[in-house]
Amino acid sequence: MSNIDKKQTLLATCSGEVIKLEDVCDEVFSSGVLGKGFAIIPSDNDFFSPINGKISNAYDTGHAYMITAEDGLELLVHIGINTVELDGEFFSPVVKAGMSVSQGDKLAYADASNILSRGYDPVCVVVITNPEKIEQFKITYGKIDAKSPVMEYTLK
């Protein structure tokens, strides 16, 4: 395995508007108890991997994915708030646990407008669940296109 650069970049999981994690309408995410990160209010229905790594867990419902990056970072990509209650409706996963992904590979399709019409927030949350590995990070907020750089971080 080659040396991993200390400075890394996470890509946007979808097109939309990047917001602060603390602005997500769910205390588990907004409190930071799960880790550090950001959220994107989606403007489309395709969701992509923000990093190179392996899918360490993929929920059958298609709403959440754990990715272990090549540099050891562990990410949770969670599409929607309480969307597990939809039991997979409006979600079409593309990846399964054990698969390797590259930045920009499609993780899932999720019909954000139908999720919203059922009373669920379709916001996509990206959380680094082992933030102790990060020395510093910078997030770019505002409008963004899928697969564009959204967070730069430096490993310890």
Side-chain angles (χ1 to χ4, degrees), residues 32-145:
V33 70
L34 292 180
K36 297 178 184 202
F38 57 90
I40 303 176
I41 300 168
S43 62
D44 64 17
N45 300 317
D46 293 316
F47 296 83
F48 303 93
S49 178
I51 201 161
N52 297 330
K54 187 174 223 165
I55 304 293
S56 48
N57 194 4
Y59 290 79
D60 292 338
T61 54
H63 79 287
Y65 303 87
M66 288 294 301
I67 304 169
T68 302
E70 295 170 344
D71 60 17
L73 214 60
E74 295 172 354
L75 296 177
L76 169 63
V77 176
H78 194 284
I79 306 167
I81 303 300
N82 297 322
T83 48
V84 66
E85 297 170 2
L86 290 170
D87 199 29
E89 189 177 7
F90 311 125
F91 291 89
S92 297
V94 175
V95 297
K96 296 181 188 300
M99 291 177 68
S100 291
V101 291
S102 296
Q103 279 188 318
D105 284 355
K106 192 168 179 178
L107 297 176
Y109 170 89
D111 190 329
S113 61
N114 271 322
I115 291 167
L116 192 58
S117 75
R118 290 286 296 274
Y120 294 88
D121 183 344
V123 69
C124 182
V125 178
V126 179
V127 177
I128 297 166
T129 59
N130 59 345
E132 67 279 359
K133 291 188 66 74
I134 294 180
E135 187 172 300
Q136 61 185 15
F137 66 95
K138 180 184 175 217
I139 299 168
T140 303
Y141 297 100
K143 297 283 184 202
I144 198 160
D145 292 325

Side-chain angles (χ1 to χ4, degrees), residues 18-37:
V18 182
I19 63 170
K20 294 179 179 180
L21 199 56
E22 53 264 26
D23 292 338
V24 172
C25 294
D26 182 285
E27 193 174 326
V28 174
F29 293 121
S30 65
S31 69
V33 70
L34 292 180
K36 297 178 184 202

